[in-house]
Each structure stands twice: as structure tokens, then as C-alpha cells.
């Protein structure tokens, strides 16, 4: 599993924008920026839709006021699903990224196998990235939701 002080592995993530599909290299996406990246097991799932993403939507301005350039949400879903979920959640301040083949999640060592529920998914986590290097990493224990929520990350930024 990735640790504090390590560089984010280079991988590609997808984003659906109004003008079409964009493929981002993590190396470029996180370069020369302070980023809050959080991951959810699945778009449109209960905790993710009722608490995790909405917390970041509500606190986006306060998080960015601490010097964060970008807030991004990643899930092992395709970019179409992530875009639709972002629209449904009014997440215009959040970059909604699809890791469709879980390659980024696996490169981080943060995958989990949910069996017939959904197969390989991401563990729930949040991290602070400074110019491509992890400076804070909060990985949730199974069935928990505290370490990765927006309020916890905002407190770590202050």
C-alpha cells in the first residue's frame, strides 16, 4: 500500500466533460498542485451518495481556502457513471474520475475484492497530495466512515 512520502504511481484516469472524454495521466494531473483525492467503493452506493461525496461538496470552498488547488473523487467505475453521479450530487467543484479497470487503485495497493457485489473496488480513503507526493493518507477500516470524510481532511489541512 502507498505510504506518506511516496509519489503517486503514474496511471490514467478518465473524466467525461461536456466536450467529450478526457484521459488524465496522474503524473500530469497532480503535478505542481495541492490536491485532496478521495476514493469510494462505488458511485451511487449508500454511504458514498449519502455522506462521502456530499461532505466534500458542502466543504469544497473551505477545503480550497486552505490552499488546495483541486478536489478529486475516484472510483472503480467508468467515467460515464462518475459524470452522472457528479451531476446528480451537484459536485461541480469536484473532479469526478473513473478508474474503470482499477489499474490506479491496484497501483496504490488500495483495492479490495467485493466478490459478486461488484468485484474489484477501491477501499474508502482520502489523501492529500502535494506535487505528486502523498503527504496525508487516511484509509478506512472495513465498514467504517470517519478517517476519509471531508471534515476529517479539512481538520488535517488547518
Amino acid at each position: 500500500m502507498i505510504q506518506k512520502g511516496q509519489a503517486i504511481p503514474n496511471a490514467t484516469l478518465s473524466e467525461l466533460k461536456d466536450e467529450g472524454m478526457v484521459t488524465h495521466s496522474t503524473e500530469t494531473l497532480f503535478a505542481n498542485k495541492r490536491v485532496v483525492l478521495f476514493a469510494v467503493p462505488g458511485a451511487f452506493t449508500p454511504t458514498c451518495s449519502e455522506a462521502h461525496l456530499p461532505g466534500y461538496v458542502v466543504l469544497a470552498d473551505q477545503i480550497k481556502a486552505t490552499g488546495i488547488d483541486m478536489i478529486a473523487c475516484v472510483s472503480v467505475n467508468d467515467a460515464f457513471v462518475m459524470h452522472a453521479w457528479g451531476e446528480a450530487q451537484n459536485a461541480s467543484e469536484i473532479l469526478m474520475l473513473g478508474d474503470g479497470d482499477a489499474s490506479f487503485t491496484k497501483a496504490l495497493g488500495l483495492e479490495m475484492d467485493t466478490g459478486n457485489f461488484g468485484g474489484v473496488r477501491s477501499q474508502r480513503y482520502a489523501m492529500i497530495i502535494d506535487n505528486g507526493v502523498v503527504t496525508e493518507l487516511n484509509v478506512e477500516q472495513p465498514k467504517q466512515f470517519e478517517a476519509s470524510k471531508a471534515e476529517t481532511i479539512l481538520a488535517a489541512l488547518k
Side-chain angles (χ1 to χ4, degrees):
M1 175 177 27
I2 194 160
Q3 300 294 316
K4 282 194 234 181
Q6 291 182 321
I8 291 290
N10 197 24
T12 56
L13 297 169
S14 300
E15 176 191 16
L16 181 62
K17 293 182 157 202
D18 293 338
E19 57 272 15
M21 188 67 66
V22 177
T23 301
H24 297 283
S25 154
T26 54
E27 189 174 62
T28 304
L29 188 63
F30 301 132
N32 303 311
K33 292 180 200 82
R34 285 189 75 220
V35 179
V36 169
L37 175 69
F38 68 101
V40 298
F44 292 103
T45 57
T47 301
C48 306
S49 291
E50 294 164 14
H52 207 175
L53 179 56
Y56 283 94
V57 170
V58 169
L59 294 177
D61 290 341
Q62 290 178 57
I63 290 169
K64 287 183 175 180
T66 67
I68 292 296
D69 300 299
M70 174 176 41
I71 303 169
C73 176
V74 67
S75 182
V76 180
N77 288 112
D78 63 59
F80 297 100
V81 169
M82 293 300 286
H83 179 76
W85 188 41
E87 283 192 337
Q89 293 282 330
N90 296 312
S92 59
E93 294 293 312
I94 314 290
L95 191 65
M96 302 298 288
L97 300 169
D99 182 21
D101 64 356
S103 59
F104 176 66
T105 300
K106 289 176 181 176
L108 292 172
L110 289 168
E111 77 276 8
M112 64 178 175
D113 190 342
T114 64
N116 66 2
F117 173 77
V120 174
R121 296 291 179 124
S122 177
Q123 293 182 52
R124 188 181 304 279
Y125 67 83
M127 62 175 69
I128 301 168
I129 304 165
D130 194 347
N131 192 24
V133 175
V134 178
T135 60
E136 186 74 32
L137 175 62
N138 296 354
V139 181
E140 295 288 358
Q141 295 300 311
K143 309 268 187 221
Q144 297 295 307
F145 177 59
E146 186 63 40
S148 66
K149 63 188 192 179
E151 295 84 354
T152 304
I153 292 300
L154 181 58
L157 289 164
K158 290 186 174 181

